[in-house]
């Protein structure tokens, strides 16, 4: 077989974590998901780990892990999120690389990525090296082997970037076809210019580098990749397979590689069910012997390059102007706002470049007194980013520190390194990719710059923020409400900039609503409660205490005193200050508790103002997710009262409402809203039960239809899906219980007749496992005329049929 197919998926999301909390905060625009990562995992990353191959009847014939059959890279920051928030998906990705080594002659399908997706040709030489080193180390830690290939973000390339890859042992990378300049057969002296005619993408090439090193380059099939990304080829897996096969020259008997590279998110997020088109195409090609599925490393070993290539420097796959999309108003944008410009790109990069030029020399000079080699320490700091346990960080500091170590000097070391980490994160490419300065991706890189500025000011004492904002102001927004970068910084970055007392304020407020243990964690901070006095009177609550707040990231710690007062509803007042000694704390505690117990709330508030001065706080001091959580608690009683009022109105007026509907007369808007509230509430409650009352649900659905009610299909679908998955979990934990299986069968039968978008994906996956493990055992028992086994099999096959699985 001389025909080979390789499909590469570049799976990536920009880092979205709040730089001060190291967690992604709630993103309302993707409700009912918590954030974009969670949504795209549900639509794409998890789906590709267990993708469906359908038979001619539309039944699920197989479930396969696409990652095992394709070439792929995952952004390291995305893998970090998956490891923490979606461990099943993460493990499936790791397992796929292990399985692919068995499939592809010992070569794993995963390749590395330059760490946080910066445009390497626009990076300093040192940043190039650190990005590559961090990408390699992250890969080794996760996949347990050295990477053979590395993805260049946006395939942005210059010779220096290729030199960096080769220097650190990377064997190959993947580029777009227009990035090849000229080629020649190995041993020939004459070059052939291909800038107009295009490169032969069916073979790998060697790129000889000025240092004497070399690297192999694959140039993907641009037309086929465009068909995947933009032309709808993923609507049909058969068409996709034959689009890949059409690239072969049937008159050529030499080995040929048909391969594409696209955003991995094409397979499920950008194109719904794209993962299934991929799974079908891979299976169809392999099952019918149409070509051999391979990955780049295996193909390179079997077919070493016999041609050399030179690249077109400073080019990329997503900007027809080279690299201008990440530094200029080149015309590349989404097309959604043709009246906008991207003039803001140049001053944004210039501002970041200025900040980098300011901090790097000071990092080197200050770091030389604290580290054996400050740049080597930065290169090795990825070991800390991957494991912030105390012992691991201590070992890193012991290995890299110069001079005597102390608590203060260790804090200084870690702050310098965090400054450098955030200074690299601020160059994440997505900050320039889109249309507008106030887009969430651009705000995110400005937040990383803000964290860099804060740490630089703490380390070096200069007022970098003022000079930073003077430059950022030159970046002008297309949205008049935002004006420029200075206002965007003020509204979206400044409120996020924390110090330990801000964390203390969050702790003080949240302790009014949550009983914390003596030692607790709040995001990347630890809180040790030293003293706390909590009082309650009617609807009001008071807490006075002191606590030690410490950062898990930079090891800085401080002790605070605080007082917080809840007056009911959303009315919270309080203050926090540095601990001033036991005597001062006792005086504070006595004055405030005495006023609360024996005077008035007004006096307590006056004391809070006088004792804490400019360090007072309110519910606004809570971090975003906790704001939402505690507001739900605060509003819970009010919502219950409103729901009870609605129900009374509904029950009192439902006869006349039915009469109006029967007469085909419009129901007054206010009554329509009442009916909508009650029916949505009753359906949510009915769908939350582990055993569905079909008659009740049918009646509620019929009323919603007759009354022309707008059902909250998104929320109801998620509630219904959660209930189904709960029933499936009950059955999985007791998989010989036929009654539980029957309840699940009945529930799925009901859901199939409802107009809600309910995913059976997890349940089908569980069924698939039992089909491979428990079903064969029960069949062996049934051979001996085991009545229970026969009954169990009958129900199990019925369940499979309801789930849309192929059953025998």
């Amino acid at each position: 077989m001389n025909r080979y197919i390789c499909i590469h998926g570049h799976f990536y999301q920009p880092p979205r974590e709040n730089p001060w909390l190291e967690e992604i905060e709630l993103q309302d625009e993707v409700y009912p998901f918590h954030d974009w990562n969670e949504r795209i995992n549900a639509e794409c990353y998890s789906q590709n780990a267990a993708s469906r191959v359908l038979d001619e009847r539309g039944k699920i014939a197989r479930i396969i892990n696409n990652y095992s059959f394709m070439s792929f890279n995952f952004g390291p920051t995305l893998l970090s999120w998956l490891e923490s928030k979606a461990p099943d998906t993460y493990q499936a990705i790791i397992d796929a690389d292990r399985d692919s080594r068995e499939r592809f002659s010992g070569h794993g399908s995963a390749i590395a990525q330059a760490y946080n997706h910066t445009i390497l040709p626009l990076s300093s030489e040192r940043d190039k090296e650190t990005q590559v080193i961090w990408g390699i180390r992250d890969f080794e830690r996760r996949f347990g082997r050295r990477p053979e290939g590395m993805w260049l973000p946006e395939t942005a390339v210059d010779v220096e970037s290729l030199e960096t890859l080769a220097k650190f042992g990377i064997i190959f990378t993947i580029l777009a076809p227009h990035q090849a300049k000229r080629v020649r057969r190995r041993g020939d002296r004459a070059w052939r210019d291909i800038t107009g005619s295009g490169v032969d993408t069916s073979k790998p090439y060697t790129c000889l580098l000025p240092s004497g090193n070399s690297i192999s380059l694959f140039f993907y099939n641009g037309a086929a990749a465009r068909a995947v990304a933009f032309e709808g080829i993923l609507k049909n897996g058969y068409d996709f397979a034959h689009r890949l096969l059409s690239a072969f020259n049937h008159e050529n008997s030499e080995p040929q590689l048909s391969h594409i590279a696209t955003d991995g998110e094409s397979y499920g997020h950008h194109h719904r069910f794209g993962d299934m088109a991929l799974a079908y195409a891979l299976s169809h090609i392999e099952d019918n012997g149409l070509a051999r599925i391979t990955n780049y490393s295996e193909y390179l070993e079997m077919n070493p390059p016999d041609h050399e290539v030179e690249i077109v420097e400073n080019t990329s796959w997503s900007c027809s102007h080279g690299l201008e999309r990440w530094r200029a108003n080149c015309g590349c944008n989404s097309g959604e706002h043709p009246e906008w410009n991207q003039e803001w790109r140049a001053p944004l990069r210039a501002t970041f470049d200025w900040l980098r030029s300011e901090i790097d020399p000071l990092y080197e000079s200050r770091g030389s007194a604290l580290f054996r080699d400050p740049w080597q320490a930065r290169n090795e700091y990825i070991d800390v980013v991957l494991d912030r346990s105390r012992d691991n960080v201590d070992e890193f500091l012991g290995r890299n520190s110069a001079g005597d170590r102390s608590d203060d000097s260790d804090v200084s070391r870690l702050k310098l390194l965090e400054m450098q980490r955030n200074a690299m994160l601020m160059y994440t490419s997505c900050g320039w990719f889109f249309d507008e300065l106030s887009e969430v991706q651009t705000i995110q890189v400005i937040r990383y710059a803000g964290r860099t500025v804060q740490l630089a000011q703490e380390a070096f004492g200069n007022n970098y923020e003022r000079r930073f904002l003077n430059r950022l102001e030159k970046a002008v927004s297309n949205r008049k409400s935002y004006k420029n970068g200075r206002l965007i910084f003020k509204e979206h970055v400044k409120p996020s900039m924390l110090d330990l007392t801000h964390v203390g304020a969050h702790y003080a407020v949240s302790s009014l609503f949550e009983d914390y243990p003596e030692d607790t964690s709040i995001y990347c901070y630890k809180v040790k409660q030293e003293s706390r006095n909590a009082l309650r009177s009617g609807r009001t609550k008071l807490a006075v205490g002191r606590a030690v707040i410490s950062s898990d990231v930079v090891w800085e710690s401080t002790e605070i005193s605080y007082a917080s007062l809840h007056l009911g509803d959303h009315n919270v007042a309080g203050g926090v200050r540095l601990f001033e000694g036991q005597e001062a704390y006792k005086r504070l505690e006595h004055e405030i508790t005495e006023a609360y117990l024996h005077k008035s709330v007004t006096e307590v508030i006056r004391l809070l103002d006088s004792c804490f001065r400019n360090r007072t706080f309110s519910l606004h001091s809570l971090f975003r997710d906790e704001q939402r959580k505690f507001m739900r608690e605060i509003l819970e009683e009010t919502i219950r009262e409103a729901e009870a009022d609605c129900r009374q109105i509904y029950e009192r007026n439902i006869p006349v409402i039915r009469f109006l509907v029967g007469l085909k007369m419009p129901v007054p808007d206010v009554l329509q809203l009442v009916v909508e509230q009650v029916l949505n509430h009753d359906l949510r409650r009915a769908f939350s039960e582990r055993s569905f009352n079909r008659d009740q649900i049918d009646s509620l659905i019929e009323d919603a239809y007759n009354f022309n009610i707008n059902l909250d299909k998104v929320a109801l679908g998620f509630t219904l899906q959660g209930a189904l998955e709960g029933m499936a979990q009950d059955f999985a934990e007791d998989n010989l219980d036929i009654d539980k299986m029957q309840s699940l069968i009945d529930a799925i039968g009901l859901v199939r007749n409802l107009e809600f978008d309910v995913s059976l994906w997890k349940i089908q996956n569980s069924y698939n496992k039992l089909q491979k493990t428990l079903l064969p055992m029960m069949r062996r028992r049934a051979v001996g005329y085991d009545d229970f086994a026969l009954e169990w099999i009958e129900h199990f096959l019925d369940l499979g049929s309801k789930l849309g699985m192929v059953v025998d």
Side-chain angles (χ1 to χ4, degrees):
M1 174 68 72
N2 282 336
R3 302 199 304 177
Y4 298 83
I5 284 178
C6 177
I7 299 171
H8 182 83
H10 165 52
F11 295 92
Y12 163 74
Q13 290 299 304
R16 294 188 166 96
E17 286 75 10
N18 179 322
W20 288 269
L21 301 179
E22 300 291 337
E23 289 280 352
I24 301 176
E25 295 181 284
L26 186 68
Q27 296 176 312
D28 288 324
E29 66 270 23
V30 290
Y31 170 83
F33 298 99
H34 179 270
D35 53 68
W36 275 105
N37 282 14
E38 186 177 282
R39 172 178 165 176
I40 298 171
N41 175 58
E43 294 174 345
C44 176
Y45 308 135
S46 64
Q47 297 293 320
N48 278 283
S51 192
R52 278 73 174 132
V53 178
L54 306 183
D55 68 5
E56 64 280 357
R57 299 168 298 164
K59 297 284 187 178
I60 299 171
R62 294 184 257 179
I63 296 178
I64 68 170
N65 185 336
N66 283 342
Y67 302 116
S68 299
F69 294 85
M70 65 190 301
S71 170
F72 66 88
N73 74 278
F74 270 82
T77 55
L78 174 58
L79 279 177
S80 177
W81 181 89
L82 287 167
E83 182 180 26
S84 172
K85 305 299 183 183
D88 290 345
T89 303
Y90 176 81
Q91 192 57 52
I93 293 164
I94 303 303
D95 291 344
D97 180 70
R98 184 195 62 236
D99 295 342
S100 69
R101 278 177 261 173
E102 298 178 8
R103 184 182 306 278
F104 300 129
S105 311
H107 297 282
S109 287
I111 68 172
Q113 179 199 289
Y115 186 72
N116 64 270
H117 217 265
T118 63
I119 302 301
L120 290 190
L122 298 181
S123 303
S124 68
E125 183 179 356
R126 281 202 177 102
D127 280 3
K128 281 185 176 78
E129 289 207 354
T130 302
Q131 285 287 311
V132 171
I133 290 169
W134 282 26
I136 291 171
R137 294 279 265 272
D138 186 275
F139 186 96
E140 290 174 331
R141 182 258 188 186
R142 299 182 189 285
F143 294 99
R145 62 178 180 86
R146 285 280 299 179
E148 296 179 88
M150 176 171 278
W151 181 263
L152 292 173
E154 303 292 341
T155 75
V157 70
D158 62 356
V159 168
E160 188 175 77
S161 297
L162 295 181
E163 287 275 24
T164 305
L165 298 190
K167 177 180 177 180
F168 293 102
I170 297 299
I171 297 170
F172 72 89
T173 191
I174 309 155
L175 299 178
H178 66 266
Q179 294 179 280
K181 180 180 181 181
R182 58 183 190 169
V183 299
R184 68 183 178 189
R185 184 176 290 276
R186 181 171 290 172
D188 289 354
R189 297 185 65 183
W191 289 93
R192 181 167 59 89
D193 189 293
I194 55 169
T195 51
S197 59
V199 67
D200 179 358
T201 62
S202 69
K203 62 181 65 179
Y205 296 83
T206 297
C207 183
L208 302 177
L209 302 170
S211 65
N213 287 330
S214 65
I215 188 168
S216 295
L217 301 179
F218 289 90
F219 297 91
Y220 64 80
N221 184 318
R226 281 192 300 276
V228 168
F230 306 114
E231 296 171 8
I233 197 71
L234 294 180
K235 291 178 181 177
N236 185 294
Y238 180 87
D239 292 344
F240 180 29
H242 285 271
R243 183 67 179 82
L244 296 170
L245 292 165
S246 70
F248 293 120
N249 179 354
H250 297 285
E251 297 178 0
N252 185 354
S253 61
E254 294 181 354
Q256 299 176 70
L257 178 66
S258 172
H259 64 111
I260 60 169
T262 66
D263 286 336
E265 290 73 22
S266 297
Y267 304 110
H269 173 56
H270 299 316
H271 305 287
R272 192 178 187 193
F273 305 125
D275 67 291
M276 294 173 63
L278 173 60
Y280 183 90
L282 290 166
S283 299
H284 175 70
I285 291 167
E286 189 168 77
D287 293 349
N288 293 284
L290 303 175
R292 176 171 169 179
I293 305 297
T294 188
N295 64 27
Y296 289 116
S297 299
E298 183 190 48
Y299 189 83
L300 199 57
E301 181 183 52
M302 293 188 297
N303 302 283
D306 57 10
H307 280 68
E308 297 169 2
V309 68
E310 287 185 353
I311 62 165
V312 183
E313 290 203 77
N314 296 311
T315 54
S316 65
W317 75 347
S318 51
C319 178
S320 58
H321 313 93
L323 304 177
E324 299 310 294
R325 189 166 193 156
W326 297 278
R327 61 182 176 187
N329 181 30
C330 67
C332 289
N333 54 58
S334 71
E336 294 179 7
H337 299 278
E339 73 280 10
W340 285 0
N341 67 70
Q342 286 75 50
E343 294 289 352
W344 54 269
R345 287 173 177 163
L348 179 68
R349 183 164 289 275
T351 300
F352 288 6
D353 288 346
W354 166 83
L355 181 58
R356 162 66 75 203
S357 69
E358 287 285 312
I359 66 172
D360 273 4
L362 293 172
Y363 170 78
E364 184 166 356
S365 61
R366 182 68 57 86
S368 294
L370 294 170
F371 299 109
R372 293 190 176 108
D373 179 339
W375 298 110
Q376 180 65 24
R378 186 180 80 161
N379 287 343
E380 293 186 15
Y381 188 59
I382 183 62
D383 296 338
V384 171
V385 175
L386 291 168
D387 177 7
R388 293 195 183 274
S389 66
R390 194 85 181 184
D391 288 345
N392 183 61
V393 180
D394 190 63
E395 191 276 330
F396 164 84
L397 291 171
R399 188 173 71 245
N400 284 281
S401 295
D404 294 334
R405 284 181 59 191
S406 65
D407 290 347
D408 288 342
S409 68
D410 281 350
V411 169
S412 296
R413 290 181 179 95
L414 292 171
K415 282 189 172 184
L416 285 175
L417 290 165
E418 276 300 301
M419 178 188 71
Q420 283 291 326
R421 181 173 77 98
N422 281 275
M424 287 191 291
L425 288 169
M426 73 184 182
Y427 282 111
T428 300
S429 67
C430 297
W432 288 264
F433 188 87
F434 297 98
D435 296 1
E436 161 57 17
L437 183 66
S438 61
E439 298 280 7
V440 63
Q441 298 89 349
T442 309
I443 290 172
Q444 183 67 23
V445 298
I446 298 173
R447 293 172 97 191
Y448 288 127
R451 179 60 173 151
T452 305
V453 165
Q454 182 187 49
L455 289 164
Q457 290 183 164
E458 292 175 6
F460 309 130
N462 299 324
N463 188 350
Y464 291 103
E465 185 175 322
R466 177 179 56 81
R467 291 184 286 160
F468 176 83
L469 291 177
N470 287 342
R471 288 166 171 80
L472 191 62
E473 190 173 20
K474 297 174 184 176
V476 178
S477 171
N478 290 287
R479 294 184 170 118
K480 292 182 180 179
S481 58
Y482 279 117
K483 294 183 180 178
N484 56 49
R486 179 188 288 272
L487 185 58
I488 289 170
F489 186 92
K490 177 184 176 183
E491 293 196 12
H492 291 284
V493 180
K494 194 68 175 176
S496 300
M497 297 177 75
L498 306 177
D499 59 20
L500 294 179
T501 57
H502 284 95
V503 180
H506 171 91
Y507 174 77
V509 173
S510 57
S511 70
L512 292 167
F513 304 96
E514 185 168 341
D515 291 328
Y516 285 117
E518 184 176 317
D519 295 290
T520 192
S521 291
I522 297 175
Y523 294 103
C524 58
Y525 301 91
K526 284 191 170 57
V527 180
K528 181 175 178 58
Q529 183 177 291
E530 298 290 346
S531 175
R532 187 169 188 270
N533 188 1
L535 302 171
R536 187 174 193 131
S537 177
R539 294 185 66 195
T540 69
K541 291 187 283 188
L542 175 73
V544 183
R546 62 187 182 92
V548 175
I549 315 292
S550 59
S551 166
D552 291 335
V553 176
V554 298
W555 286 13
E556 187 177 29
S557 66
T558 192
E559 188 168 357
I560 61 158
S561 304
Y562 67 86
S564 51
L565 175 67
H566 183 209
L567 299 172
D569 296 329
H570 65 287
N571 300 300
V572 173
V576 62
R577 72 187 188 191
L578 297 179
F579 180 64
E580 298 172 358
Q582 187 67 14
E583 184 177 336
Y585 170 72
K586 284 297 183 185
R587 186 165 56 252
L588 171 77
E589 180 185 38
H590 175 74
E591 289 178 358
I592 292 177
T593 55
E594 282 295 302
Y596 180 76
L597 291 171
H598 303 298
K599 295 182 181 179
S600 66
V601 167
T602 303
E603 178 62 14
V604 175
I605 294 173
R606 188 194 69 77
L607 281 171
L608 291 175
D609 288 338
S610 64
C611 292
F612 295 101
R613 298 183 183 88
N614 62 341
R615 282 291 188 176
T616 56
F617 53 75
S618 67
L619 208 59
H620 289 286
S621 303
L622 284 173
F623 304 141
R624 184 171 177 79
D625 283 61
E626 283 69 24
Q627 277 182 346
R628 192 64 53 89
K629 173 185 174 183
F630 295 132
M631 281 307 300
R632 280 198 298 266
E633 292 182 14
I634 289 167
L635 291 171
E636 189 174 351
E637 184 177 344
T638 301
I639 290 171
R640 276 201 306 269
E641 291 173 356
E643 287 175 341
D645 290 343
C646 280
R647 186 163 298 282
Q648 284 185 1
I649 296 169
Y650 173 83
E651 290 175 351
R652 202 164 50 237
N653 292 280
I654 191 62
V656 71
I657 292 171
R658 292 188 188 280
F659 186 71
L660 286 171
V661 170
L663 293 175
K664 295 185 170 29
M665 292 178 61
V667 176
D669 289 346
V670 65
L671 290 179
Q672 188 82 358
L673 288 172
V674 168
V675 176
E676 184 174 307
Q677 161 61 35
V678 170
L679 291 184
N680 274 289
H681 175 272
D682 287 353
L683 277 170
R684 276 197 305 273
R685 187 168 57 187
F687 289 164
S688 299
E689 300 293 332
R690 284 294 174 94
S691 179
F692 292 160
N693 183 330
R694 180 154 195 162
D695 291 340
Q696 179 194 22
I697 291 172
D698 286 343
S699 175
L700 290 168
I701 295 291
E702 183 180 3
D703 281 348
Y705 175 79
N706 290 335
F707 299 153
N708 195 27
I709 293 302
N710 291 319
L711 293 177
D712 186 353
K713 291 189 175 181
V714 173
L716 289 171
F718 260 65
T719 303
L720 192 53
Q721 184 173 317
L724 277 179
E725 290 173 357
M727 293 181 199
Q729 182 63 31
D730 288 346
F731 171 57
E733 290 172 358
D734 190 4
N735 50 41
L736 296 180
D737 190 320
I738 293 176
D739 290 338
K740 288 181 179 178
M741 186 162 31
Q742 185 60 53
S743 294
L744 183 58
I745 291 167
D746 293 342
I748 293 170
L750 171 64
V751 169
R752 290 287 193 187
N753 294 320
L754 298 177
E755 295 182 1
F756 296 105
D757 189 6
V758 176
S759 172
L760 300 175
W761 184 80
K762 287 185 178 179
I763 305 172
Q764 289 164 344
N765 290 347
S766 297
Y767 185 90
N768 186 53
K769 290 179 182 176
L770 291 177
Q771 200 173 26
K772 293 176 180 178
T773 55
L774 186 55
L775 180 59
M777 184 189 78
M778 296 302 285
R779 279 182 165 150
R780 287 192 295 272
R781 286 177 55 178
V783 170
Y785 301 100
D786 183 320
D787 290 342
F788 174 80
L790 289 166
E791 184 183 2
W792 187 95
I793 291 171
E794 181 182 357
H795 281 77
F796 188 76
L797 297 182
D798 186 21
L799 175 60
S801 179
K802 291 288 193 301
L803 288 170
M805 310 286 289
V806 171
V807 295
D808 181 4

